[in-house]
Amino acid sequence: MALSNNVIGAINFVAMLLSIPIIGAGIWLATEPDNSCVKLLQWPVIILGVLVLVVSLAGFIGGFWRIPWLLIFYLIAMLVLIVLLACLVVFVYMVTIRGSGRLATNRAYLEYHLDDYSGWLQRRVKSSYKWDRIRSCLSSSSTCSELNQSYKMPQDFFNAHLNPLQSGCCKPPTQCGYTFVNPTYWISPIDTAADMDCLQWSNEQTQLCYSCDSCKAGLLANLKKEWRRADIILLITLVGLIWVYLIGCCAFRNAKTEDLFSKYKQGYT
């Protein structure tokens, strides 16, 4: 029984280590400028990672100090956390399965359209109340202003591989036909009816295209890329936790069997 309990303690130490990439993924998302403005995924991930750490610590203590009720708590709580983590992994995959950039004529960068993304993600940015807060956060960053330092000539800018936020928020849509002055200053549109965003564009440096649907789509494109990376980390960790949990269940069952056999043997003698 002591051996089985030591095994339970050891594998829960491994589970404690597995909580680190979950917490790390949440912290990484929180440090990304776009995610820090939206505040959607990072806190659920961080909270889930902390709960895995706490429950694993309980199992570690229960295993080494042979506290049965703590081991039972660990088995139940860890099963619940594994199910929650699995649901989160599937959810992130499903909401990021749609959406990608579209090629623009004579441009190296891609352009982004809001309708290409999942309905759940769209609802996170379509509300004017929610978007006003996000827009204020995005416009206070250096996402657009740094383009003016990097690109002086039109062709250099057109050949640039802009990230989704820069493409969606810092310039007007290509189909509007604006003339390049610098990356964040455009004049003389040819067809303002080509896209509703054509009328939303402003050369005011605090406005630009932050009210455009293309900016919302660019934000979702960035979120999709970052969430997918975090989802891979969560998936690998989930597989590890499942293996640890199964081994823990076997060790706990063996410990109970050995305990019953020991009591039977004592009663027999």
Side-chain angles (χ1 to χ4, degrees):
M1 183 177 178
L3 177 61
S4 295
N5 281 330
N6 288 340
V7 170
I8 295 173
I11 63 173
N12 276 288
F13 179 74
V14 175
M16 289 168 61
L17 295 179
L18 287 172
S19 70
I20 295 174
I22 301 177
I23 298 171
I27 293 174
W28 171 71
L29 287 173
T31 59
E32 293 297 305
D34 47 354
N35 270 285
S36 64
C37 289
V38 179
K39 296 182 175 68
L40 280 177
L41 186 63
Q42 57 265 47
W43 284 114
V45 172
I46 291 173
I47 291 171
L48 197 55
V50 171
L51 290 176
V52 169
L53 176 62
V54 171
V55 171
S56 300
L57 181 60
F60 178 78
I61 295 172
F64 272 114
W65 277 269
R66 305 177 191 175
I67 307 174
W69 69 266
L70 204 52
L71 290 175
I72 293 173
F73 165 78
Y74 155 76
L75 291 173
I76 296 173
M78 185 57 77
L79 178 60
V80 172
L81 291 177
I82 286 174
V83 171
L84 289 176
L85 181 58
C87 291
L88 182 61
V89 168
V90 173
F91 172 76
V92 171
Y93 174 77
M94 293 303 296
V95 299
T96 58
I97 198 170
R98 289 178 52 196
S100 60
R102 301 183 189 180
L103 293 172
T105 306
N106 299 322
R107 303 290 189 268
Y109 49 75
L110 301 176
E111 296 196 333
Y112 301 86
H113 297 261
L114 189 58
D115 291 340
D116 291 344
Y117 295 87
S118 72
W120 187 87
L121 283 177
Q122 288 184 44
R123 288 191 292 274
R124 305 285 77 77
V125 297
K126 273 188 173 180
S127 163
S128 58
Y129 170 75
K130 294 177 181 177
W131 183 250
D132 285 346
R133 177 180 58 80
I134 297 171
R135 179 181 61 189
S136 176
C137 178
L138 292 175
S139 62
S140 65
S141 71
S142 60
T143 300
C144 295
S145 59
E146 63 187 17
L147 292 177
N148 292 328
Q149 307 300 320
S150 302
Y151 306 104
K152 302 297 184 183
M153 303 301 294
Q155 200 57 46
D156 292 338
F157 181 76
F158 298 152
N159 291 334
H161 294 279
L162 307 180
N163 67 45
L165 271 181
Q166 291 172 331
S167 176
C169 304
C170 306
K171 63 169 192 60
T174 300
Q175 59 187 344
C176 302
Y178 277 88
T179 300
F180 176 96
V181 177
N182 68 41
T184 60
Y185 197 93
W186 301 69
I187 59 173
S188 306
I190 295 174
D191 185 8
T192 55
D195 193 305
M196 288 297 295
D197 286 348
C198 299
L199 298 175
Q200 296 289 346
W201 170 257
S202 170
N203 284 317
E204 175 62 42
Q205 295 301 291
T206 58
Q207 298 295 322
L208 300 179
C209 218
Y210 287 116
S211 296
C212 301
D213 281 351
S214 63
C215 185
K216 299 174 183 178
L219 173 66
L220 296 186
N222 255 24
L223 291 181
K224 174 186 174 179
K225 179 176 66 175
E226 292 162 5
W227 286 17
R228 277 296 181 88
R229 291 175 181 173
D231 205 36
I232 292 172
I233 296 172
L234 297 180
L235 177 60
I236 294 172
T237 306
L238 174 64
V239 173
L241 284 174
I242 291 173
W243 276 106
V244 165
Y245 184 77
L246 292 175
I247 296 171
C249 286
C250 292
F252 182 75
R253 185 184 61 185
N254 289 340
K256 296 297 289 182
T257 302
E258 291 166 8
D259 186 33
L260 289 173
F261 179 75
S262 175
K263 290 179 180 178
Y264 171 77
K265 188 175 179 180
Q266 289 173 2
Y268 182 76
T269 56

